[in-house]
Amino acid sequence: PDLGRRFAERKRCADLECSMLMCRGKAMRDFKGPDCRFVNFKKGEAVYVYYKLIGKSTELWAGSVGSDFGYFPKDLLEINHNYSNEELELPTDVSFTWCY
């Protein structure tokens, strides 16, 4: 299916609003995203995960570094704390419609 501005049709979250933290990890290397939908980070920074895309783009997770929020490749994160073992599967919304 045509996903339009979405990276995937579904995501896994810890709660229905995807507002609860799923896990925290440490960035294994620097990352600079291709556009404003992505969060940038430096090696060693703490990254907080709020949801994981599933389906077409399983390699992307969404989270925050400081006050910045966005997508990043999951393979760049070394998980060091899980906040929830619950994972709800939900439909995704349009990916950051404010991002031009």
Side-chain angles (χ1 to χ4, degrees):
D2 179 20
L3 299 177
R5 295 176 61 110
R6 293 180 294 164
F7 289 125
E9 290 183 307
R10 308 214 38 90
K11 60 187 173 183
R12 292 191 197 278
C13 303
D15 65 311
L16 289 173
E17 291 80 31
C18 298
S19 61
M20 289 179 52
L21 283 171
M22 296 183 79
C23 58
R24 174 187 74 221
K26 182 173 72 170
M28 295 189 298
R29 66 180 173 93
D30 292 357
F31 175 70
K32 175 132 174 80
D35 61 41
C36 65
R37 295 174 294 178
F38 292 82
V39 65
N40 301 321
F41 48 76
K42 301 277 187 200
K43 181 179 179 178
E45 281 190 299
V47 180
Y48 296 87
V49 178
Y50 287 90
Y51 62 88
K52 304 170 181 180
L53 296 181
I54 55 176
K56 188 174 181 180
S57 289
T58 58
E59 72 279 356
L60 291 178
W61 287 357
S64 65
V65 176
S67 62
D68 296 329
F69 185 88
Y71 294 106
F72 61 91
K74 71 176 185 178
D75 295 340
L76 300 182
L77 193 63
E78 178 183 306
I79 302 298
N80 52 29
H81 185 76
N82 284 308
Y83 291 99
S84 173
N85 292 323
E86 291 268 332
E87 288 195 3
L88 306 172
E89 190 172 313
L90 303 166
T92 58
D93 300 321
V94 174
S95 300
F96 297 89
T97 56
W98 47 264
C99 186
Y100 299 100

